[in-house]
Amino acid sequence: MPADDVRPAVVDTVPPPASDVGGLDDLYDIARLARRLDVEHATIRVWLSRKVPWLPPPDGRLNGGAVWRATTLEGIEDRRFRRRPGRKPRFTAAPAAADVPRTGSIPIVTVRTPGHVLHSSPAPPQGDDALSAR
């Protein structure tokens, strides 16, 4: 082996102290922010386009996507206006007349027109008359 093919000795890397952390762990993209707020990714994009007041503008862009620093998003859960959870209720039509239970007997109506009388079937007996008819 020639002498000029000397490789440097392998150096162990030392992790940075805890106070010096501020790399990629400090950044929130749309996916990470959506997980933090427990919403869909599309919801974050809609909030950005609508410029909701409680969501700060992104601190920058990384690979074409919005990113925020963790310090920018401190307390975002408290600033966010929470509505009732879940989907919006669907429109429910009023019940049809056939679906409404009847609570009494149907009255029988006789229609009278001048010169012509329509007779309807006699009403079933009610009360004491119903008992004596049996």
Side-chain angles (χ1 to χ4, degrees):
M1 214 183 215
D4 58 331
D5 192 23
V6 177
R7 296 182 182 177
V10 177
V11 179
D12 291 333
T13 57
V14 178
S19 62
D20 210 13
V21 175
L24 295 178
D25 291 337
D26 187 40
L27 294 179
Y28 278 80
D29 62 347
I30 289 178
R32 188 174 176 194
L33 181 59
R35 281 192 308 269
R36 179 174 170 177
L37 296 177
D38 195 28
V39 295
E40 296 288 327
H41 299 196
T43 305
I44 301 289
R45 289 187 188 95
V46 169
W47 288 339
L48 281 172
S49 67
R50 292 183 182 175
K51 297 184 177 163
V52 292
W54 55 267
L55 181 64
D59 291 322
R61 299 191 78 72
L62 184 64
N63 290 337
V67 290
W68 294 265
R69 289 187 183 98
T71 55
T72 305
L73 297 176
E74 283 180 7
I76 193 167
E77 293 87 355
D78 299 332
R79 293 191 308 255
R80 179 178 170 207
F81 174 72
R82 289 192 144 251
R83 293 185 181 176
R84 289 176 290 174
R87 293 181 173 216
K88 291 181 181 177
R90 290 185 176 183
F91 173 75
T92 307
D99 297 336
V100 178
R102 297 190 175 155
T103 57
S105 63
I106 301 172
I108 297 177
V109 178
T110 304
V111 178
R112 294 184 184 199
T113 57
H116 191 301
V117 177
L118 293 177
H119 295 283
S120 62
S121 62
Q126 296 179 354
D128 293 334
D129 295 336
L131 294 175
S132 62
R134 289 187 181 174

